[in-house]
C-alpha cells in the first residue's frame, strides 16, 4: 500500500511557529526563525483527483495552502524536525481527518491497516548545533508517545522526509496462559512485584500483590483444583489493588480493628448524618463513583476528585487530559448518570525554576521530566480535556515545593447535577439485572493504560511500565456523555452504568456484576485498536473514554440505534447473570471463572503497625527584617502566593452560562479562594466550591495539617458567602512510602483529625480517594541514588449550597472609606509557614484549629453575608494577614491603611510574625461605615484595624507605632504578577 | 404571533447548546436542540425553523482547525439546505465555534451575495493559547438585525482560534457594506487598536463579529448567552455595593440578552 502525504500550512500568520521561536529564545537558543506546517500521512489508495479534494477539505483557503506529496520548505533554514505519534497512540487529529474523508468521498478506511496519521514539521534557522537541534526536538515531544525525525538542510534536500506510517504489529498469540503458583515465597514475591513471566523470561509488569494476597490466591485455586490463568491473576491484581480497594485504609491499623477508613472517615459521616437528623442533606455517600447531596427540592449535586499522579509524571499532558476526562466519567457514572457542571484542579509541582536533572536509570539514563516540563504539560492537559468537554473550570490552585519534583500531584475534580427522580425512580439508584446485556460505549481498546491501577499502587522507578501512559480523546467522550446524560438516561434505556477507569472492564464489569450476582463476558467481542492483543490485555487495559452499561435485552436495539445516530461506538460483550461467578471466555475458551465473593471480598486484611514521633524543630533566630515593604513584595512574588492567572484564563470558566464568583476577583484580577456557580439558569441558587491544602504543616504534625486543610476549605467557602450548614467535603490523601510504620503513623493521625474536625463542624465527607505511594526512586546527575517522597498531603475539597448568589462577596476592596476589620486572633503559629520557608526554616508551632470557635464564627459570618453587611471579604490563609490584605488592595485597586496594634493577637511580638503567621479561622473584611453598628453587633469578634483609602497607598503602622510598610498598590500588583507573567 | 422556532445545532463536541437554547427561550423564541445527524438523517428539517443557531463548543475537538470538520460535515451532507435557509427571510447566528463553522461554510460575510463561498476565517490567537476573559465590544453595523439598539456589550470570550482574518481589500468591502458588527474596545469604549488584552486574539481591525449583506446572519467570537444575568457580571459584587448604597434594587438581567431579544422581535415586529 502506498501512503501519501498532505501538507497544510498557514501563509498569513504562523502563530505556532512564533510561539516556538519565543520559547526557544527564552531558553537561550540563538534561533532566528521558526516555521511550522501540519502534515497528514494518509495510508490508503486515492486517485489524484481525490487527493486534491481531500486537500481542499483540510485547508482553509483564506489563510492556508496545501500540497500533495511535496514539502514546502522555507528558502533559508538550517534544520528540520518532524514530530509525530508512535504506533498505537491515539491520534485525534488523524481520526477527525479520517472521518472527514470518509464523509466526503463515501469511502471506509479499513482500520488499522488504512488510516490517517497527523504530524507537525518545524523548520529552524539560526546558530544551532546538531546537538542543540536534537535537544530542541526532544523538548517538543514526549518520547513515550511521540517520535521525532531531525535532519539538516543538506540531508533534507538530498533525501526529503521519509513517510512514516506508525502501525502496531503484535505477533499472533493464542488464548490465555496458565500461571504456576506452586512456587517458593521468594518467587511469589517476585511475581507480585514484577509480574507474570513471559516465555522469553521478561516480565509483564507489576501486579502489586503482597505475599499474603498471593497465598490466599494459591489456596483458592487449590480448592478449585486447577491452576489460574493469566487473565485471572491479572484480574485479581486489578480488583485487589491499593488503587481500587484502598487496602491501607481498610486494613486493621494498631488498635483500630476496622481500619481508619471505616473508623474515622465513614464513621464521621455517619455521626454527622445522625446529628443532623432531618436536616441531613446526604443522598449517596462512599458507595458510588461520586458522592451526592441535595441541591434543591428536585435536584442533587455530586462531587468527586481524583488524582492522576503517576501518569502525569511520565506524560504530563496525557496524564492530565485523561485525569480530568476520567473524573468526568465518575460524574456520568454516578447513579443513572449526572451531568458534569463544574471542573476543578489542584497541582503540586516542584519549583518550575529548578532545572536540576533527575534520572530513573543509573548513569544518566531515563531522564525524568523537569518540574517546568511537567507543569506545562499538566496545565495544558487540563486545558484540552476540560475545555473540549464544555465543562466550566472556575476553581483550582497550584502549590510548589521541592519534594514534588520527583512525582507531581495532579488533583482533578468534577461536580455533577441531576434530577433526583428519573422515570419515577430515585436517580441515584441503579442495578444491573440478570439477563441484561453488557454494553460498552466509547473508545477502542489498545495496550495503553495496561497496569495503570497496579502501577499507581507502587512507587515510580526504573521499571515503571510505559504502557501505563494513557492518551485522551475528549471529543469521543463528549459524544458519549451527551448521548447518555442528555438522551439515553431519560429514555430509560439502561439499568446501570459505570465508568471504565482503573483496571478497565475487569473492574467495571466485575463491579457491576455485584448488583445482580454474576456475569459472562465474551472477550473477543471487545473492539480493539489493533489485532492480536492477548485476552488478559483486553480485560485490564485502561484505554480511555469508555463506559459500561447494563442494557435490558428488549431495549438493546433502541439503545444501539441511538448510539449509532450520535456517532458513539457501542457493542455488547456479554450478559449479566446471577450465577455467582465472574466468567470470561475468549473465542469459546474459558479464560476466567472466579467466584464473585472471592473476587470482591477474598483479599485478606493485614495488620498494619504504626509509629509516630513528632519532629522537634527549633524556633528560628533570624531578626525581623528592616524593610518590611520589600519583604512583603518578596512574599507576594513567591510561587505559592503569586498570581496564577495564566492558568485561570486558559480554562473556560464561563461555559454553561452558570458562572458567578469567578477564579479572578476584582479589576486587579486576584486569584480567589472559592467559586460560586448557578447551575439552573433562571434561578439564583448556587454551588460554592473551594479547597484547602497545607502540606508543609506535615513537617510538624499531620494531625494539625489535616485539621488546617479542613478549616481552610470550609473557611474559603464561607469567605465568599458559603453556608457551613449545607456543606460537604471530600478527602484526597496523597501519601508516601506507605509501607513504613512512621508514614502510617502520620496517616493515622491525619485520619483522626478528619474525624474530630468534621464531626465538630458538621461537614460530612461524601467521597474521597487516596494515593499511597508518591515516591520517586532514581539517581542524581552524579549517579547517586535519590529517593524523593512527597510531604504527606491531604487535599480537602468543599461543596456547598446557598439560596441566593446575590449575597455572595469577593475580596476586592470596593469603595474608599470602607472600614477594615479582622475577624479572629493571630497567634505565634509560623511553623511550616511560607514566611519561614522563605528563610529556610520550619519553625516549631504549627497552626491549630479550635472547631467550636470556628463553627460559631462561620455561622455568624454567613448570616452577615445574608444581610450584605460586608463589602469585601477575604479568607486569611497561606502567607497570613499581610498577603490577604495586599490581595484585597490589588484586587480592588484601592489602597488601605492598617494599624497592627489593633490586630487581636496572642503572644505575637514581632511585626513580621503578625503579618505572616498562618493562624487559621481568620477573615479580613471591609464594611460600609453606615453598617458599622449592625456589623459589629453580629460579629463581636471583628476588630477594626483600618480603612480603605481613596488612593493607591498601602500603609501599615507596626506594633511600635511607626510606619513599617509604605507601598503603592501598583507596585504590590507588579510583585504579585511578575513570577508567572511569561508562562 | 406564534413564537419563532429556533434550531439549536448540537453534536460532535458543540457544547453551548443548552444555554443558547435557554437564551432564545427566555426572550420568547421556541428553541429546539437538534443533533446535526438528525438533520442529515432527515428526521429534522431546516425549513421547519425561523432561526438557526450554531452554538459555541469544540466540534471535533478543533482537530484539523477550529470549525473546519463540522463545516465539512454540514457541507458534505446539508449544503443546499443550509444555503437555502440563510437566503430566505430567516435569521442565523454562529457563536464562537459556531462563527468558525459559519465562515467556513461561507454563510457570512457572503460579499457580493456569494453565499457558500469562504471569504473569511478565524486563525489561532496571537498568543497561540486558549483564552477565557471578558471583553468590551462596540457595535458598528446599522443593518444587523441582531444588534438593533445595542451600542456596547460586555461579554466573555473563550477560544483558541479567534483571530478574524480577511484579505485587506475584502475587509474594506466589509466595512463599506456595513457588515462589521462588533469590534473589541478598551473599557472606555475607545478602539482596542490590536492591543492585548482588549483585543484578545489579534483580529484585524479589532473585529469580533460580522454579518452578511442582509444583516440577518450574524457571526461573533464572544458569547452573549453567557451574560444573561446580573450575577454573571465579573464585577457584580462591586456593582451590588453601589446599588445598595444608592438604595436601588439590583438588576436581574445581563447585557447579552438583547441580542436574542432582537431576533425574536424581528419576527413579531
Amino acid at each position: 500500500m502506498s501512503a501519501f502525504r498532505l501538507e497544510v500550512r498557514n501563509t498569513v500568520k504562523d502563530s505556532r511557529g512564533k510561539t516556538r521561536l519565543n520559547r526557544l529564545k527564552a531558553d537561550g537558543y540563538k534561533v532566528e526563525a521558526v516555521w511550522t506546517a501540519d502534515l497528514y500521512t494518509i495510508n490508503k489508495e486515492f486517485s489524484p483527483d481525490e487527493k486534491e479534494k481531500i486537500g481542499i477539505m483540510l485547508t482553509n483557503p483564506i489563510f492556508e495552502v496545501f500540497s500533495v506529496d511535496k514539502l514546502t520548505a522555507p528558502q533559508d533554514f538550517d534544520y528540520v524536525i518532524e514530530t509525530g505519534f508512535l504506533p498505537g497512540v491515539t491520534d485525534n487529529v488523524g481520526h477527525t481527518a479520517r472521518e472527514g474523508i470518509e464523509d466526503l468521498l463515501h469511502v471506509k478506511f479499513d482500520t488499522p491497516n488504512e488510516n490517517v496519521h497527523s504530524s507537525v514539521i518545524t523548520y529552524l534557522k539560526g546558530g544551532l548545533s546538531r546537538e542543540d537541534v536534537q535537544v530542541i526536538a526532544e523538548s517538543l515531544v514526549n518520547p513515550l508517545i511521540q517520535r521525532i525525525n531531525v535532519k539538516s538542510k543538506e540531508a533534507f534536500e538530498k533525501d526529503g522526509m521519509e513517510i512514516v506510517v506508525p502501525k502496531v504489529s503484535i505477533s499472533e498469540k493464542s488464548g490465555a496462559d496458565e500461571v504456576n503458583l506452586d512456587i517458593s515465597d521468594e518467587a511469589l514475591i517476585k511475581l507480585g512485584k514484577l509480574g507474570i513471566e513471559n516465555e522469553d523470561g521478561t516480565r509483564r509488569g507489576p501486579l502489586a500483590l503482597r505475599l499474603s494476597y498471593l497465598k490466599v490466591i494459591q489456596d483458592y485455586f487449590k480448592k478449585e483444583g486447577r491452576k489460574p490463568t493469566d487473565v485471572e491473576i491479572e484480574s485479581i491484581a486489578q480488583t485487589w489493588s491499593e488503587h481500587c480497594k484502598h487496602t491501607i485504609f481498610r486494613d486493621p491499623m494498631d488498635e483500630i480493628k476496622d481500619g481508619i477508613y471505616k473508623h474515622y472517615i465513614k464513621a464521621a459521616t455517619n455521626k454527622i448524618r445522625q446529628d443532623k437528623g432531618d436536616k441531613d442533606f446526604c443522598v449517596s455517600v462512599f458507595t458510588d463513583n461520586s458522592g451526592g447531596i441535595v441541591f434543591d427540592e428536585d435536584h442533587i449535586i455530586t462531587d468527586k476528585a481524583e488524582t492522576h499522579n503517576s501518569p502525569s509524571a511520565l506524560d504530563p499532558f496525557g496524564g492530565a487530559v485523561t485525569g480530568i476526562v476520567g473524573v468526568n466519567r465518575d460524574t456520568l457514572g454516578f447513579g443513572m448518570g449526572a451531568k458534569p457542571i463544574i471542573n476543578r484542579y489542584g497541582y503540586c509541582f516542584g519549583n518550575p525554576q529548578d532545572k536540576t536533572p533527575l534520572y530513573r536509570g543509573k548513569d544518566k539514563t531515563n531522564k525524568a521530566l523537569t518540574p517546568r516540563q511537567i507543569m506545562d504539560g499538566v496545565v495544558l492537559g487540563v486545558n484540552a480535556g476540560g475545555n473540549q468537554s464544555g465543562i466550566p473550570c472556575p476553581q483550582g490552585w497550584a502549590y510548589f515545593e521541592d519534594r514534588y519534583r520527583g512525582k507531581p500531584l495532579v488533583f482533578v475534580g468534577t461536580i455533577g447535577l441531576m434530577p433526583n427522580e428519573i422515570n419515577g425512580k430515585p436517580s441515584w439508584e441503579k442495578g444491573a439485572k440478570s439477563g441484561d446485556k453488557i454494553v460498552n460505549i466509547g473508545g477502542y481498546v489498545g495496550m495503553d493504560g495496561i497496569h495503570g491501577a497496579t502501577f499507581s499502587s507502587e512507587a515510580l522507578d526504573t521499571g515503571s511500565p510505559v504502557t501505563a501512559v494513557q492518551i485522551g480523546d475528549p471529543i469521543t467522550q463528549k459524544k458519549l456523555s451527551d448521548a447518555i446524560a442528555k438522551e439515553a438516561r431519560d429514555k430509560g434505556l439502561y439499568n446501570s452504568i459505570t465508568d471504565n477507569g482503573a483496571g478497565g472492564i475487569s473492574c467495571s464489569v466485575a463491579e457491576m456484576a455485584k448488583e445482580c450476582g454474576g456475569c459472562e463476558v465474551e472477550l473477543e467481542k471487545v473492539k480493539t485498536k489493533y489485532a492480536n492483543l492477548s485476552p488478559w490485555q483486553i480485560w485490564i487495559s485502561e484505554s480511555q473514554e469508555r463506559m459500561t452499561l447494563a442494557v435490558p435485552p428488549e431495549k438493546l436495539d433502541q439503545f444501539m440505534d441511538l448510539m449509532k445516530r450520535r456517532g458513539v461506538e457501542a457493542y455488547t460483550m456479554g450478559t449479566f447473570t446471577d450465577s455467582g461467578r465472574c466468567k470470561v471466555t475468549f473465542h469459546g475458551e474459558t479464560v476466567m471463572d472466579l467466584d464473585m465473593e472471592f473476587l470482591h471480598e477474598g483479599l485478606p486484611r493485614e495488620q498494619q503497625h504504626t509509629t509516630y514521633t513528632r519532629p522537634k524543630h527549633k524556633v528560628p533566630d533570624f531578626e525581623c527584617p528592616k524593610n518590611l515593604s520589600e519583604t512583603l513584595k518578596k512574599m507576594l512574588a513567591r510561587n505559592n502566593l503569586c498570581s496564577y492567572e495564566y492558568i485561570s484564563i486558559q480554562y473556560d470558566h464561563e461555559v454553561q452560562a452558570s458562572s458567578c464568583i469567578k477564579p479572578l476577583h476584582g479589576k486587579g484580577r486576584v486569584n480567589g479562594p472559592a467559586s460560586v456557580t448557578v447551575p439552573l439558569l433562571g434561578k439564583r441558587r448556587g454551588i460554592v466550591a473551594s479547597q484547602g491544602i497545607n502540606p508543609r504543616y506535615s513537617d510538624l504534625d499531620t494531625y494539625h495539617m489535616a485539621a488546617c486543610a479542613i478549616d481552610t476549605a470550609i473557611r474559603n467557602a464561607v469567605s465568599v458567602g458559603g453556608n457551613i450548614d449545607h456543606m460537604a467535603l471530600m478527602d484526597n490523601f496523597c501519601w508516601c512510602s506507605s509501607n513504613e510504620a512512621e508514614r502510617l503513623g502520620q496517616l493515622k493521625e491525619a485520619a483522626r483529625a478528619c474525624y474530630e474536625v468534621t464531626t465538630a463542624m458538621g461537614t460530612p465527607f461524601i467521597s474521597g480517594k487516596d494515593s499511597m505511594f508518591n515516591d520517586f526512586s532514581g539517581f542524581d546527575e552524579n549517579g547517586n541514588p535519590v529517593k524523593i517522597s512527597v510531604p504527606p498531603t491531604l487535599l480537602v475539597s468543599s461543596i456547598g449550597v446557598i439560596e441566593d448568589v446575590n449575597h455572595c462577596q469577593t475580596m476586592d476592596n470596593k469603595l474608599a472609606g470602607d472600614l477594615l476589620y479582622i475577624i479572629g486572633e493571630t497567634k505565634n503559629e509560623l511553623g511550616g509557614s511560607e514566611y519561614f520557608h522563605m528563610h529556610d526554616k520550619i519553625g516549631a508551632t504549627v497552626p491549630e484549629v479550635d472547631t467550636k470557635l470556628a463553627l460559631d464564627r462561620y455561622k455568624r459570618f454567613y448570616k452577615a453575608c445574608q444581610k450584605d453587611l460586608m463589602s469585601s471579604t477575604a479568607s486569611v490563609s497561606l502567607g497570613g494577614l499581610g498577603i490577604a490584605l495586599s490581595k484585597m488592595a490589588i484586587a480592588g485597586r484601592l489602597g488601605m491603611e492598617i494599624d497592627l496594634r489593633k490586630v487581636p493577637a496572642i503572644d505575637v511580638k514581632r511585626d513580621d510574625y503578625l503579618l505572616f503567621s498562618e493562624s487559621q479561622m481568620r477573615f479580613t473584611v471591609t464594611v460600609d461605615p453606615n453598617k458599622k453598628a449592625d456589623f459589629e453587633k453580629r460579629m463581636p469578634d471583628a476588630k477594626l484595624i483600618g480603612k480603605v483609602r481613596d488612593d493607591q497607598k498601602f500603609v501599615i503602622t507596626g506594633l511600635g507605632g511607626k510606619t513599617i510598610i509604605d507601598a503603592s498598590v501598583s507596585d504590590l500588583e507588579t510583585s504579585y504578577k511578575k513570577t508567572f507573567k511569561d508562562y | 404571533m406564534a413564537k419563532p422556532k429556533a434550531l439549536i445545532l448540537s453534536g460532535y463536541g458543540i457544547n453551548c447548546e443548552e444555554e443558547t437554547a435557554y437564551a432564545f427561550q427566555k426572550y420568547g423564541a421556541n428553541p429546539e436542540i437538534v443533533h446535526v445527524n438528525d438533520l442529515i438523517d432527515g428526521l429534522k428539517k431546516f425549513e421547519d425553523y425561523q432561526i438557526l443557531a450554531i452554538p459555541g463548543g469544540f466540534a471535533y475537538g478543533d482537530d484539523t482547525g477550529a470549525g473546519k470538520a463540522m463545516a465539512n460535515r454540514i457541507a458534505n451532507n446539508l449544503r443546499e439546505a443550509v444555503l437555502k435557509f440563510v437566503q430566505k427571510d430567516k435569521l442565523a447566528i454562529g457563536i464562537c465555534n459556531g462563527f468558525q463553522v459559519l465562515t467556513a461554510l461561507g454563510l457570512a460575510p457572503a460579499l457580493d451575495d456569494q453565499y457558500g463561498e469562504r471569504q473569511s476565517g478565524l486563525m489561532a490567537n496571537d498568543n497561540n493559547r486558549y483564552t477565557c476573559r471578558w471583553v468590551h465590544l462596540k457595535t458598528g453595523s446599522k443593518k444587523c438585525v441582531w444588534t438593533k439598539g445595542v451600542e456596547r456589550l460586555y461579554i466573555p470570550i473563550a477560544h483558541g482560534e479567534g483571530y478574524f482574518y480577511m484579505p485587506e481589500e475584502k475587509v474594506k468591502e466589509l466595512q463599506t457594506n456595513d457588515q462589521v458588527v462588533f469590534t473589541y474596545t478598551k473599557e472606555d469604549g475607545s478602539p482596542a487598536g490590536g492591543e492585548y488584552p482588549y483585543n484578545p486574539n489579534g483580529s484585524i481591525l479589532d473585529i469580533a463579529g460580522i454579518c452578511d449583506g442582509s444583516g440577518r446572519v450574524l457571526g461573533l467570537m464572544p458569547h452573549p448567552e453567557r451574560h444573561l444575568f446580573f450575577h454573571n457580571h465579573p464585577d457584580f459584587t462591586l456593582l451590588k455595593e453601589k446599588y445598595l448604597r444608592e438604595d436601588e434594587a439590583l438588576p436581574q438581567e445581563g447585557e447579552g440578552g438583547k441580542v436574542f431579544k432582537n431576533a425574536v422581535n424581528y419576527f413579531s415586529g
Side-chain angles (χ1 to χ4, degrees), chain A residues 13 58 565 649 656 662 810, chain B residues 19 37 126 132 232 237:
Chain A
K13 193 160 190 296
L58 290 171
R565 288 190 292 111
I649 64 167
Q656 300 191 8
K662 305 173 198 294
T810 50
Chain B
E19 54 268 36
N37 287 355
D126 239 350
C132 174
N232 294 138
T237 52

Side-chain angles (χ1 to χ4, degrees), chain A residues 705-722:
Chain A
M705 178 279 289
C708 291
I710 296 167
D711 183 62
T712 303
I714 296 173
R715 183 179 70 247
N716 285 349
V718 169
S719 79
V720 299

Side-chain angles (χ1 to χ4, degrees), chain B residues 3-7 24-25 28-32 49:
Chain B
K3 291 179 171 184
K5 283 182 77 178
L7 188 167
F24 277 106
Q25 186 195 328
N30 182 9
E32 186 183 354
Y49 303 86

Side-chain angles (χ1 to χ4, degrees), chain B residues 87-161:
Chain B
Q87 290 178 85
K88 286 193 171 169
D89 189 18
K90 295 187 172 186
L91 299 183
I93 186 170
I95 303 169
C96 195
N97 192 211
F99 182 28
Q100 293 159 343
V101 173
L102 203 87
T103 57
L105 283 170
L107 306 184
L111 294 172
D112 306 319
D113 273 342
Q114 294 300 306
Y115 288 92
E117 181 186 284
R118 187 151 31 179
Q119 299 174 339
S120 66
L122 294 137
M123 303 194 296
N125 293 351
D126 239 350
N127 64 5
N128 203 30
R129 186 182 272 171
Y130 187 95
T131 304
C132 174
R133 63 187 306 144
W134 285 63
V135 292
H136 296 277
L137 301 174
K138 198 168 94 181
T139 47
S141 170
K142 289 194 176 52
K143 68 164 58 156
C144 181
V145 170
W146 295 83
T147 53
K148 289 266 178 289
V150 182
E151 279 171 18
R152 292 178 62 181
L153 272 187
Y154 185 46
I155 55 180
I157 54 130
H159 59 243
E161 299 180 36

